[in-house]
Amino acid sequence: MSLNHLKKQKISQGLSLLIHGVLIKSLAFLNNNPVMLKTESFHLVYFGLFAALGAMASLSIFCFYLHLRGFFSGLPVLPVALAFTMGDMIGVKVLYYISLGSKFFQNPKGYLNETTMYNQGGLMGMVLVGTAIGLINNINLLIMFDAMVIACSFALFLGRLGCYNYGCCFGKPTCSHMHVKYHFDSSKIIRTNPEFKDVPLVPTQLYTAYFDLFMFIVFTGIALLYPADGLITLTFVVLFNGFRVCIQKYRFTEPSDQLNYTKMAVFYFVFGLSIWLFLFLINGGKLIVQPLQNPLTFAAWVQFVLTATGLMSSMVVIGIIVFVFHGLHGRKLGTHFNLSHD
């Protein structure tokens, strides 16, 4: 083995250890016990807290971006927030039931009671809601989708940290330095796959969370440097689905998982690109750059959140709803209600 090859190997190992220490080990504490509160009749899981914070942050960013583009004035914040929340909540459940196919009818009561949710369905639900809101309020749909994308990317970041805590969407076993382990019996991975207790796994949730944060930074940069209508949305369609295809080969597929995520990502890419091209052609077939009407800074966002009519109260309302929906489990973890067969 040559000296240069040894040097490269040592550099590679050192870089791997550095990345593991900074990006993975620093968040290792998050995959501790996912149960916030346990009583005789229900559980509260921390995932609800991550989801609620994501929903609240997402609403503030969504409204702030519309404010930057001059479309926030007169927007009924609470009805809009509730519509998006319902679209997401219905979507994440409906896609799961659709993926089950005829299997759903074998035990509809049991499947309806499961807390299993598919994020892709929530995104589709919000797209439908966003389209309706844009048309009703005369908001350019390319700008509407840009606002949704930049907001959802940050919510996805927090949501994936919640997945890491809860123990879902986990990676395959690995021998790499870049790994995480689960110890608590209440973690979903241990409940469904007890053989993975204390086994090194690819940290797919953290990789995805960091990528979602990266997308948010990229979208913010686009808004600052080149605020072209629809460019954020187009970038999201490419990055989000491209990354999903890449990460899927490192993610463990549970026997109960009915959805082919790779095929779903390809479908979303084709569908998203088709919708974007349609709207792009309607808007003249060229990227229209319009300067932001207000400053895009952290201080400006904070001031907006504190002063925008109805925003803070709407954030609290949807935060509570999302926390209950995602965080409240029945007597048995993984179920919504205490049905007789539980």
Side-chain angles (χ1 to χ4, degrees), residues 126-252:
M126 288 191 289
V127 166
L128 295 175
V129 170
T131 300
I133 292 173
L135 293 174
I136 293 171
N137 293 276
N138 295 315
I139 301 174
N140 183 321
L141 287 182
L142 287 176
I143 294 177
M144 167 60 77
F145 291 146
D146 283 349
M148 292 169 57
V149 162
I150 195 171
C152 286
S153 59
F154 192 79
L156 288 170
F157 162 66
L158 293 176
R160 285 305 179 188
L161 294 181
C163 289
Y164 175 63
N165 170 261
Y166 185 63
C168 61
C169 312
F170 51 90
K172 296 178 179 178
T174 180
C175 296
S176 170
H177 292 296
M178 307 281 284
H179 70 260
V180 295
K181 296 180 181 179
Y182 283 88
H183 316 288
F184 286 86
D185 292 338
S186 53
S187 297
K188 182 182 179 182
I189 178 177
I190 307 302
R191 288 188 281 115
T192 59
N193 302 84
E195 69 276 11
F196 284 161
K197 187 173 184 176
D198 293 319
V199 173
L201 304 170
V202 178
T204 50
Q205 309 103 314
L206 295 182
Y207 289 157
T208 307
Y210 283 125
F211 189 80
D212 291 334
L213 182 60
F214 165 75
M215 287 197 299
F216 174 74
I217 294 171
V218 169
F219 301 153
T220 302
I222 292 174
L224 279 168
L225 303 174
Y226 195 72
D229 298 352
L231 183 56
I232 291 175
T233 301
L234 177 62
T235 307
F236 173 79
V237 169
V238 175
L239 290 181
F240 178 79
N241 294 297
F243 178 79
R244 192 59 196 256
V245 171
C246 294
I247 197 66
Q248 188 57 36
K249 61 182 178 180
Y250 300 105
R251 180 171 163 175
F252 181 80

